[in-house]
Amino acid sequence: MEASIIATYRCRHRCTMCGTWKFPSAPESEFKPELLEKLPRLRFANLTGGEPFLRDDLEEIAAILKRKARRVVVSTNGTFTERVLELAKKVPGLGFRVSLEGLRETNDELRGVPGGFDRGLATLDGLRRMGVGDIGFGMTVSDRNAGELGELYALARSRGFEFATAIVHNSFYFHKTDNVIRDPERVAGAFERLAADMLRTWTVKNWYRAYFNLGLAGYARGRARPLPCGAGTDVFFLDPSGEVLPCNGMEESIWYGSLGNLHERPFGEIWTSEAARRVRAKVAACPKNCWMIGTAGPAMRAGLVPVTGAILVKKLKMIARAGGGRRGRRR
């Protein structure tokens, strides 16, 4: 089982594709670290927000999650460099992902914070100097920044960083209903080129990332998601008030449901409750076709055999085309 732990809805960035910063949670309403002791053993946990480094007790939260999950990654905007480095020192073994939405000018425009790009890179460079291995940055793609997707990937590779991608979505979590891709072919093409670049490598992890990015291309074109959604079954989200949610892609105008509140009941009771059964039925009938890593990643792992088969077919076709091109040139 996997989880995303939303530590806070507070954030000091002013991103155009996310309105969470307009609706911050009150510090006194946010769960205390000890609530996380109720969580089950997890394969993976993403510690996110808002901006999690706005919490004064993040070290306690991270330490508990580190005991609960085999792998923990903290998602941040990278602004609080000193706090990030201090957490990495005090809770060894954490991963970190910094949000960057393009190159310097584009990132700072989309995130609404001058100097944000340079600060984010400085944070990652500081982690690398400390010897933290699981580090990288993530990009949320829109019409505005799709043209820089390849350049940001090249930057990540040149510095030895992991590179994660997303695409704009509407949901209660983002407080957005107007995230729209106006040029789907251009955006989808950018994802397809990125996937092709990843498939050309001999890093198996990149091949699975290529599959994910091809799913983002499909989402941009309005296609159905390539795998069933396991929200509320393979993964859950814990919000700052302790609500156990199936995902962060729900829209209240379509549907919204909670499995229960961790303050009120043990996790096992919540997970097997009638409310959980109703939520899973809604997930099965959900019309949204979201393709976000929080739910797509567990779906890919659950469908590992067909996913691997699809990847190998694409890789072999790429090898065959390359071989045919070389033979043509020799003639």
Side-chain angles (χ1 to χ4, degrees):
M1 189 185 302
E2 302 187 11
S4 284
I5 309 302
I6 309 168
T8 181
Y9 285 134
R10 290 176 279 153
C11 187
R12 292 182 183 173
H13 278 210
R14 301 293 182 262
C15 298
T16 60
M17 66 286 186
C18 175
T20 298
W21 55 274
K22 299 178 183 178
F23 302 90
S25 48
E28 62 272 16
S29 73
E30 296 168 355
F31 64 75
K32 301 294 187 291
E34 53 267 27
L35 185 72
L36 302 180
E37 298 287 4
K38 290 182 159 187
L39 295 178
R41 293 293 301 170
L42 299 167
R43 179 189 180 279
F44 170 75
N46 176 218
L47 178 51
T48 186
E51 172 47 56
F53 283 93
L54 287 172
R55 287 203 55 155
D56 295 331
D57 52 3
L58 193 65
E59 181 186 338
E60 298 170 68
I61 291 172
I64 294 171
L65 286 179
K66 194 70 180 60
R67 294 199 306 271
K68 291 285 184 177
R70 282 190 283 171
R71 178 170 173 246
V72 179
V73 171
V74 185
S75 297
T76 174
N77 57 37
T79 299
F80 300 104
T81 303
E82 293 75 16
R83 296 184 199 178
V84 174
L85 301 184
E86 186 69 13
L87 181 65
K89 184 187 302 181
K90 290 185 174 179
V91 188
L94 296 174
F96 294 86
R97 294 295 181 273
V98 171
S99 297
L100 295 177
E101 314 306 345
L103 301 177
R104 183 175 289 106
E105 180 181 347
T106 302
N107 176 81
D108 293 359
E109 173 196 326
L110 289 175
R111 298 196 69 84
V113 176
F117 179 85
D118 292 331
R119 190 71 169 172
L121 278 186
T123 297
L124 288 169
D125 286 337
L127 288 166
R128 182 173 56 185
R129 286 193 296 271
M130 288 178 61
V132 180
D134 189 0
I135 56 175
F137 52 79
M139 176 183 184
T140 300
V141 176
S142 62
D143 289 290
R144 172 66 181 85
N145 62 0
E148 296 179 11
L149 183 56
E151 292 175 275
L152 212 59
Y153 173 57
L155 176 64
R157 291 192 69 185
S158 72
R159 298 172 90 108
F161 297 150
E162 302 289 334
F163 183 59
T165 49
I167 192 170
V168 291
H169 281 73
N170 294 316
S171 79
F172 83 95
Y173 176 78
F174 301 115
H175 293 276
K176 295 291 286 185
T177 59
D178 59 352
N179 276 330
V180 177
I181 298 296
R182 304 192 184 282
D183 191 346
E185 284 305 312
R186 176 173 172 271
V187 172
F191 281 120
E192 287 169 342
R193 288 189 293 276
L194 175 63
D197 285 345
M198 290 177 163
L199 281 170
R200 287 189 192 99
T201 72
W202 288 99
T203 303
V204 174
K205 186 187 288 187
N206 278 345
W207 301 355
Y208 287 92
R209 288 174 178 149
Y211 181 94
F212 175 73
N213 280 285
L214 289 172
L216 290 173
Y219 180 83
R221 291 190 172 107
R223 294 176 183 167
R225 55 181 288 142
L227 295 170
C229 182
T233 300
D234 301 322
V235 61
F236 66 90
F237 286 65
L238 182 72
D239 85 354
S241 68
E243 290 293 324
V244 179
L245 306 174
C247 69
N248 64 340
M250 295 179 289
E251 288 184 71
E252 291 179 336
S253 62
I254 299 174
W255 76 277
Y256 179 91
S258 170
L259 286 72
N261 194 292
L262 202 57
H263 287 290
E264 299 168 0
R265 303 172 72 182
F267 184 86
E269 287 186 15
I270 291 172
W271 201 244
T272 57
S273 66
E274 177 60 23
R277 188 197 65 78
R278 289 195 298 268
V279 164
R280 291 180 186 123
K282 290 181 178 179
V283 169
C286 182
K288 288 202 61 182
N289 287 318
C290 298
W291 192 247
M292 291 187 276
I293 193 61
T295 50
M300 288 171 61
R301 282 182 276 277
L304 190 59
V305 172
V307 169
T308 302
I311 290 168
L312 291 176
V313 167
K314 290 183 181 298
K315 181 67 177 178
L316 290 171
K317 285 181 177 178
M318 180 173 285
I319 293 170
R321 284 196 298 269
R326 284 193 295 272
R327 286 193 297 272
R329 285 193 295 275
R330 284 198 296 270
R331 293 193 191 100

